[in-house]
């Protein structure tokens, strides 16, 4: 028994000495010391058949052999690691003349998103909620609910995409919303009064497209409902808006304009920020840029939203977010915005 142990030790130490790399060294570890079927482990199983002095001596010797093999293994491990490092160091080199890898490319926000987020922050700071709404809208919400009945000539102001099978003459006509105004009524129905919301979003018109017309563009709608609201509140909020957009010197003027869902209705113009009101190509030499529609919410619209016009008043405004983006960045063809053209989009 004891000779077997000594023989095993000699054999193991010789094998370890001869080993050249860490993989083979691991194999040896399993072969000799492996817990399941290692040769030393197997020999030690004989321990249980021995007794007294014999058991003691054998046990001590077995431990000695184990320590010797483990020690040799550890030394070899250090030796191999060091020589492998040294080898790597000798073969590795750094080419300091190699050009750097191209920098990671990041996407950028669409110009619409940039302006929309900026305005969401501005209006949130004034206590407005920001709402989303359906782009496929019922004819009822898009028109009737905002005081444009089926036979009303104002329907001609907006060229509408009707949905196949749900056209104007069907029972439940559906349209791609032509404006964000239907959300005025949806918001009132959902949240009641008092109310302060803006609704930025996509709208659609059946246009022949050119540099100024596009079938898909963005609007931003706002509505405020409360007791004792009058048109000076409207003007105050719009002034904050235009100064934020075009600087503190910007002037706002409101002139009467007809929109079916407001009474009185106005259109809002700002002093042209390019020529500061002197007159240029962009403002068609008038010094003013028309940027929005607004007015006091029509009692019929309040009623449609379930709000009592004898108790509450409100104002609403709407503008083309797309137009603001074009003015701000000097974009002269509206079609670029929906084109997905990376050469265009990467500039922002
Ligand atoms: N919805 C109108 C448009 O698309 C804009 C508007 C909104 C006007 C709210 C007045 C009040 O032209």
């Amino acid at each position: 028994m004891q000779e077997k142990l000594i023989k095993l030790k000699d054999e193991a130490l010789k094998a370890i000495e001869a080993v050249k790399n860490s993989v083979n060294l691991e194999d040896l570890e399993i072969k000799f010391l492996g817990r399941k079927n290692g040769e030393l482990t197997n020999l030690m199983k004989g321990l249980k058949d021995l007794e007294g002095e014999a058991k003691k001596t054998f046990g001590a010797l077995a431990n000695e052999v184990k320590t010797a093999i483990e020690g040799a293994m550890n030394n070899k491990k250090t030796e191999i690691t060091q020589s492998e490092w040294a080898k790597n160091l000798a073969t590795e080199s750094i080419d300091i003349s190699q050009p750097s890898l191209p920098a990671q490319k990041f996407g950028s926000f669409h110009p619409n998103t940039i302006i929309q987020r900026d305005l969401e922050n501005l209006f949130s700071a004034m206590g407005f909620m920001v709402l989303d709404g359906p782009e496929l809208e019922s004819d009822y919400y898009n028109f009737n609910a905002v005081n444009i009945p089926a036979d009303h000539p104002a329907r001609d102001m907006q060229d509408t995409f009707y949905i196949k099978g749900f056209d104007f003459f069907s029972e439940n006509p559906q349209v791609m919303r032509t404006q964000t105004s239907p959300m005025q009524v949806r918001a009132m129905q959902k949240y009641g009064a008092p109310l302060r919301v803006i609704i930025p979003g996509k709208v659609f018109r059946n246009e022949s497209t050119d540099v100024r017309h596009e079938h898909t563009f963005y609007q931003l709608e706002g509505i405020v409902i409360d007791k004792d609201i009058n048109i000076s509140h409207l003007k105050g909020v719009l002034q904050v808006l235009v100064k934020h957009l075009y600087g503190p010197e910007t002037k706002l003027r409101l002139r009467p304009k007809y929109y079916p869902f407001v009474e009185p209705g106005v259109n809002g113009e700002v002093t042209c920020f390019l020529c500061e009101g002197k007159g240029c190509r962009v403002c068609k030499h008038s010094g003013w840029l028309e940027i929005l529609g607004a007015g006091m919410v029509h009692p019929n619209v309040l009623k449609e939203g379930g709000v009592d016009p004898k108790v509450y008043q409100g104002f609403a405004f709407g503008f083309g977010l797309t137009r603001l983006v074009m003015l701000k960045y000097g974009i002269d063809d509206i079609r670029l915005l929906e084109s997905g053209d990376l050469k265009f989009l990467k500039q922002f």
Side-chain angles (χ1 to χ4, degrees):
M1 282 287 273
Q2 303 208 357
E3 281 96 79
K4 274 193 185 162
L5 269 179
I6 309 277
K7 221 178 119 211
L8 176 68
K9 179 177 147 191
D10 290 345
E11 195 191 323
L13 293 186
K14 230 185 255 160
I16 292 170
E17 187 49 45
V19 128
K20 288 268 175 320
N21 62 51
S22 39
V23 178
N24 292 351
L25 187 64
E26 261 168 46
D27 290 345
L28 285 185
E29 196 167 354
I30 296 168
K31 177 172 178 292
F32 291 110
L33 302 177
R35 251 192 245 167
K36 253 201 178 155
N37 241 336
E39 290 184 17
L40 183 63
T41 320
N42 287 345
L43 273 183
M44 281 172 79
K45 279 177 193 153
L47 195 63
K48 65 177 187 313
D49 303 325
L50 296 174
E51 267 174 31
E53 209 46 36
K55 190 173 187 171
K56 243 191 192 166
T57 345
F58 184 79
L61 184 62
N63 265 336
E64 207 180 282
V65 169
K66 191 175 176 210
T67 322
I69 297 177
E70 279 174 351
M73 288 243 171
N74 281 338
N75 289 344
K76 197 67 186 180
K77 225 179 252 174
T78 320
E79 190 186 302
I80 287 175
T81 327
Q82 277 173 358
S83 81
E84 280 175 358
W85 270 356
K87 222 197 285 158
N88 285 345
L89 263 187
T91 51
E92 255 175 24
S93 65
I94 297 172
D95 178 0
I96 56 165
S97 69
Q98 185 184 14
S100 65
L101 295 170
Q104 174 111 36
K105 287 199 181 74
F106 291 99
S108 56
F109 286 118
H110 191 283
N112 269 340
T113 310
I114 299 173
I115 305 282
Q116 182 178 324
R117 291 194 172 184
D118 175 45
L119 293 181
E120 284 176 3
N121 287 338
L122 176 76
F123 280 104
S124 303
M126 291 193 276
F128 284 73
M129 287 193 281
V130 181
L131 294 188
D132 217 355
E135 291 172 1
L136 176 60
E137 185 55 283
S138 67
D139 178 87
Y140 162 73
Y141 276 112
N142 196 77
F143 295 119
N144 303 60
V146 288
N147 205 29
I148 316 178
D151 54 0
H152 199 287
R155 288 217 175 195
D156 282 349
M157 289 162 76
Q158 299 173 356
D159 291 314
T160 310
F161 285 120
Y162 279 90
I163 301 303
K164 223 178 186 172
F166 295 91
D167 65 13
F168 179 70
F169 300 102
S170 71
E171 207 171 286
N172 180 22
Q174 301 284 313
V175 302
M176 296 307 287
R177 67 173 176 196
T178 58
Q179 50 184 354
T180 39
S181 302
M183 281 305 291
Q184 291 186 19
V185 174
R186 284 188 182 274
M188 280 189 275
Q189 288 177 347
K190 181 153 186 195
Y191 298 101
L195 185 69
R196 245 185 268 184
V197 294
I198 58 161
I199 308 100
K202 258 184 201 169
V203 300
F204 309 85
R205 301 229 179 136
N206 191 355
E207 306 269 11
S208 345
T209 58
D210 60 31
V211 288
R212 294 169 57 113
H213 297 92
E214 176 62 296
H215 49 71
T216 303
F217 57 98
Y218 284 74
Q219 286 190 338
L220 191 148
E221 188 90 9
I223 180 166
V224 171
I225 309 283
D226 212 329
K227 290 177 176 155
D228 301 321
I229 292 285
N230 60 55
I231 204 161
S232 60
H233 296 120
L234 166 64
K235 191 160 186 188
V237 168
L238 293 181
Q239 250 156 5
V240 171
L241 169 70
V242 300
K243 285 177 199 289
H244 174 82
L245 285 170
Y246 302 118
E249 304 304 323
T250 313
K251 287 196 184 61
L252 169 76
R253 85 177 173 190
L254 301 178
R255 301 204 293 176
K257 178 159 181 185
Y258 173 71
Y259 294 101
F261 28 88
V262 284
E263 179 60 34
V266 294
N267 84 46
E269 293 168 312
V270 290
T271 38
C272 178
F273 56 88
L274 280 173
C275 61
E276 286 159 356
K278 287 185 210 83
C280 68
R281 193 179 59 87
V282 172
C283 61
K284 297 199 194 106
H285 304 284
S286 70
W288 295 92
L289 289 169
E290 185 184 334
I291 60 163
L292 54 89
M296 302 306 290
V297 181
H298 195 289
N300 287 352
V301 178
L302 291 172
K303 276 186 222 155
E304 211 60 46
V307 170
D308 184 353
K310 290 199 197 76
V311 184
Y312 288 101
Q313 306 76 42
F315 63 81
F317 56 87
F319 53 82
L321 205 61
T322 303
R323 179 158 155 77
L324 295 190
V325 170
M326 292 176 71
L327 286 171
K328 167 148 182 145
Y329 293 110
I331 298 165
D332 50 16
D333 188 340
I334 190 173
R335 293 168 298 188
L336 284 167
L337 288 161
E338 294 287 317
S339 68
D341 181 347
L342 285 181
K343 281 205 288 294
F344 167 74
L345 290 171
K346 274 184 183 161
Q347 300 173 67
F348 300 94

